[in-house]
Amino acid sequence: MIIERSSEWKEGFIKRLENLEPWSNWSLYNMSYEVEKNNLITEFRGLQSPKYLPALTPLSHQLEVAETVIERMNGKAILADEVGLGKTIEAGLILKEYLIRGLVKKALILAPASLINQWIEELNYKFYIPAIAYKKSYSLDHYDVVVMSMDTAKKSPHRELIYAQDYDMIIIDEAHKLKNHKTKIYEFVQSLKKKFCLLLTATPIQNDVFELFYLISLLKPGHLGNFETFQTSFSASKHSLEHDEYLRELVNQVMVRNRRQDTGIEWTNRKVQIVPIHFTPEEKEVYDMILELKNVSPVFSGAFSMITLQKEMCSSKEATYLTLNKMRQNCVEADEAEFVEQIIQKLMALETNSKAEKAYEIVSEANDKVIIFTEYRASQAYLQWYLNSKGITSVLFNGQFNKNKREWMKRLFKEQAQVLIATESGGEGINLQFCHHVINYDLPWNPMKLEQRIGRVHRLGQEHDVHIYNLAIHDTIEEDILHLLNMKIDVFEKVVGELDDILSAFKKSI
């Protein structure tokens, strides 16, 4: 079989050109007109996209969010639904709607590296949007919808290549990572041309109210005034403010937030408690010696190192030893080194970890899958050894694992191990609805990290009540952390709205 390229079009073209013949006919014009008429969207209100998405059945609150952002917020919004309510689906609906209407042709999605594949799969298979994951060998000119990691996007030469594009829509997942206006990623996003822009985060305030100011300023510069105006108008400091009702009204003009109880879906209960722990006399002696360090030498009086040591001592002697050993190596004076050596000797002589014993007690009583969150890899390794000595199987999960290892650990946890011991990286990007118990072994300073951790299990698809155990050692820095967490929760609820229980079932008034 021989395939040849036809040249008839050329002959017909020359014939019409030379003889001034008509280019088309009335019948063809009418047919073309009818095609365009059928594709015309005459009403802007309401969503067109769901009828083009047979593989997706959006929930009612997701459809409402998409309509609100398109009709009332002109495509610039913070999507701040609680963890597990489908912010990715909402963003996909909005993007699909604008693509169908011809208002968006090119779109850039920035996300943490661990979530890129999830975005690609959802856009391609649920929304039929041909998105690709960016690679250094790709030319951005040739692809309309690109998903890229934040860390890659902010660096040269990728940053300059993105600036050269005319993106109609920018979507930023885990947008709370932009909270610090002095970072490169914040400056990068601030410089992007943003015809339409979606910022996705369940936690628009993590530590203080100024984070929300900078987030909204990225989206709509001037909406809350400049920094000085904002600070003066609301008497704002990190953990307090006035006129919060007016501020919430302004925030709601650019932010959509659904709580679980607003969705009409029947959710399982969240049972949260603070579990008090007491050090043994030997542990308390080491803790007090660590507090005494600041009086031994000015070298040890730095607030950061002292706070770190106190937190580590509340976690494990293994985590504490690593920091003390570095301090010992950096000692200049003999008496300083001698005092640190004394602490290390007493530390390593400890035979009991009161917090680990409590964690084991909870795991044993649960007799079910349990996630333990710790802030230190040394504590993570210790806990795995300790639980193994008690006959409890466990797997580790931390930020050093690549994508394949993370997926393997998740599978091992689901099919074999009873416990997953995760560092903070386990608080984002993994869904573990088959687990119903979470132990916050180490408390973070940021209450929204607790919400992120709990959201790994208390999300759509969870069929059982979720039990949360927040461990806190009496008469240590962990009591100060509890107090500060409550203050931060209070600010969040004044400006953004009510939170589900994350510390205990009873909210404290500060």
Side-chain angles (χ1 to χ4, degrees):
M1 181 177 180
I2 300 175
I3 299 176
E4 295 181 351
R5 181 178 295 177
S6 172
S7 61
E8 290 182 7
W9 68 272
K10 187 176 181 180
E11 295 168 1
F13 175 80
I14 294 172
K15 183 179 178 182
R16 284 180 173 79
L17 191 64
E18 291 178 345
N19 300 323
L20 300 178
E21 294 183 7
W23 295 98
S24 186
N25 59 54
W26 185 244
S27 298
L28 289 175
Y29 173 82
N30 278 331
M31 290 170 64
S32 178
Y33 175 82
E34 288 300 321
V35 168
E36 291 299 322
K37 183 179 176 181
N38 288 333
N39 289 332
L40 190 65
I41 299 172
T42 56
E43 289 289 331
F44 196 82
R45 297 187 67 83
L47 298 178
Q48 303 294 319
S49 52
K51 63 186 178 186
Y52 296 98
L53 303 172
L56 179 70
T57 306
L59 299 172
S60 58
H61 74 274
Q62 294 167 342
L63 293 169
E64 288 172 10
V65 166
E67 286 190 23
T68 298
V69 170
I70 291 170
E71 295 175 8
R72 287 178 35 212
M73 298 180 175
N74 299 317
K76 286 190 174 184
I78 299 173
L79 305 188
D81 284 2
E82 288 185 325
V83 176
L85 294 188
K87 291 183 288 295
T88 308
I89 298 297
E90 294 165 358
L93 282 169
I94 295 165
L95 175 58
K96 184 71 172 182
E97 192 71 25
Y98 279 133
L99 286 167
I100 289 170
R101 293 176 182 274
L103 296 173
V104 167
K105 184 176 185 295
K106 289 178 72 73
L108 175 67
I109 295 101
L110 300 178
S114 60
L115 301 181
I116 287 178
N117 286 340
Q118 180 181 322
W119 269 98
I120 295 295
E121 288 175 11
E122 296 216 351
L123 290 175
N124 279 279
Y125 298 114
K126 291 183 179 179
F127 294 97
Y128 304 111
I129 296 174
I132 62 114
Y134 174 72
K135 294 184 179 178
K136 294 178 182 178
S137 57
Y138 291 177
S139 170
L140 292 175
D141 295 329
H142 301 150
Y143 299 97
D144 289 335
V145 182
V146 177
V147 184
M148 188 183 303
S149 80
M150 292 185 184
D151 287 337
T152 298
K154 70 183 181 184
K155 298 174 184 175
S156 293
H158 319 291
R159 178 180 65 232
E160 289 76 17
L161 293 173
I162 293 169
Y163 286 156
Q165 300 297 311
D166 289 320
Y167 285 110
D168 303 301
M169 174 169 273
I170 306 293
I171 298 174
I172 301 175
D173 198 4
E174 304 292 352
H176 49 266
K177 295 182 181 295
L178 302 172
K179 62 186 178 182
N180 186 344
H181 66 290
K182 297 179 181 179
T183 59
K184 285 186 178 180
I185 186 63
Y186 187 95
E187 293 174 3
F188 165 72
V189 173
Q190 191 175 38
S191 301
L192 285 173
K193 298 185 285 282
K194 299 181 280 292
K195 178 180 174 183
F196 302 113
C197 183
L198 302 177
L199 304 179
L200 280 60
T201 173
T203 55
I205 295 178
Q206 293 210 331
N207 286 296
D208 63 65
V209 71
F210 297 119
E211 295 171 350
L212 182 62
F213 167 80
Y214 286 116
L215 210 57
I216 291 176
S217 296
L218 269 183
L219 195 69
K220 293 186 73 174
H223 184 72
L224 298 179
N226 59 29
F227 182 83
E228 289 75 18
T229 303
F230 174 77
Q231 195 173 28
T232 303
S233 299
F234 300 103
S235 300
S237 63
K238 281 190 172 184
H239 304 135
S240 67
L241 72 159
E242 296 177 4
H243 313 299
D244 50 274
E245 289 184 6
Y246 177 52
L247 178 56
R248 189 188 293 199
E249 184 180 326
L250 289 174
V251 169
N252 287 340
Q253 292 174 13
V254 294
M255 185 177 75
V256 186
R257 181 172 184 261
N258 284 301
R259 297 188 63 207
R260 294 175 185 86
Q261 63 189 40
D262 302 329
T263 60
I265 301 168
E266 189 172 338
W267 289 85
T268 60
N269 295 318
R270 182 185 284 196
K271 299 182 177 180
V272 189
Q273 59 179 300
I274 295 173
V275 181
I277 300 165
H278 288 81
F279 268 149
T280 64
E282 293 78 13
E283 288 174 305
K284 188 65 169 66
E285 182 185 5
V286 176
Y287 186 86
D288 290 341
M289 289 180 73
I290 287 172
L291 292 179
E292 188 62 26
L293 270 172
K294 63 179 180 291
N295 299 323
V296 172
S297 169
V299 176
F300 302 138
S301 61
F304 178 77
S305 58
M306 287 304 301
I307 289 171
T308 299
L309 269 173
Q310 290 175 68
K311 288 194 69 182
E312 288 171 339
M313 184 58 204
C314 290
S315 183
S316 70
K317 69 180 184 182
E318 286 75 13
T320 313
Y321 170 79
L322 293 177
T323 301
L324 283 173
N325 190 44
K326 289 180 182 177
M327 293 175 72
R328 177 175 58 181
Q329 293 171 3
N330 294 328
C331 285
V332 177
E333 302 295 334
D335 56 339
E336 296 172 2
E338 183 180 349
F339 189 76
V340 173
E341 182 64 36
Q342 289 176 17
I343 300 176
I344 290 176
Q345 289 179 7
K346 287 187 176 292
L347 177 76
M348 300 316 293
L350 292 176
E351 297 180 354
T352 301
N353 184 320
S354 299
K355 188 187 277 188
E357 288 185 349
K358 178 58 72 173
Y360 166 67
E361 181 184 318
I362 294 170
V363 170
S364 299
E365 290 178 0
N367 195 28
D368 197 359
K369 301 286 185 184
V370 180
I371 302 175
I372 299 177
F373 281 104
T374 176
E375 295 201 331
Y376 308 103
R377 285 201 294 270
S379 297
Q380 189 184 37
Y382 164 74
L383 284 169
Q384 185 173 47
W385 170 85
Y386 177 74
L387 291 175
N388 182 65
S389 71
K390 300 288 187 179
I392 303 291
T393 56
S394 64
V395 293
L396 304 184
F397 196 98
N398 62 54
Q400 289 191 324
F401 295 171
N402 60 30
K403 175 181 174 290
N404 290 336
K405 188 168 183 179
R406 289 162 69 97
E407 288 299 320
W408 178 239
M409 291 299 106
K410 178 180 171 181
R411 183 173 176 180
L412 284 177
F413 177 44
K414 184 175 184 178
E415 297 178 359
Q416 296 183 29
Q418 183 183 350
V419 177
L420 177 76
I421 309 170
T423 56
E424 206 60 60
S425 63
E428 292 182 352
I430 57 169
N431 303 329
L432 303 166
Q433 294 94 323
F434 57 85
C435 178
H436 323 123
H437 299 265
V438 175
I439 298 175
N440 288 307
Y441 183 86
D442 296 320
L443 291 173
W445 293 103
N446 181 347
M448 296 304 110
K449 286 188 177 180
L450 288 175
E451 176 60 28
Q452 289 281 355
R453 293 173 179 182
I454 297 169
R456 297 307 99 210
V457 299
H458 198 220
R459 57 193 303 113
L460 287 172
Q462 178 58 263
E463 298 177 352
H464 299 82
D465 289 347
V466 174
H467 301 266
I468 314 299
Y469 312 89
N470 295 309
L471 309 190
I473 300 175
H474 175 67
D475 199 21
T476 69
I477 194 172
E478 293 189 329
E479 288 192 338
D480 298 330
I481 293 173
L482 284 174
H483 180 73
L484 187 58
L485 286 173
N486 276 292
M487 288 180 64
K488 292 178 178 180
I489 289 169
D490 185 56
V491 170
F492 183 99
E493 294 191 328
K494 281 182 178 179
V495 180
V496 179
E498 289 287 311
L499 267 174
D500 271 359
D501 298 332
I502 59 176
L503 274 182
S504 70
F506 305 99
K507 293 203 168 62
K508 295 183 179 180
S509 58
I510 301 301

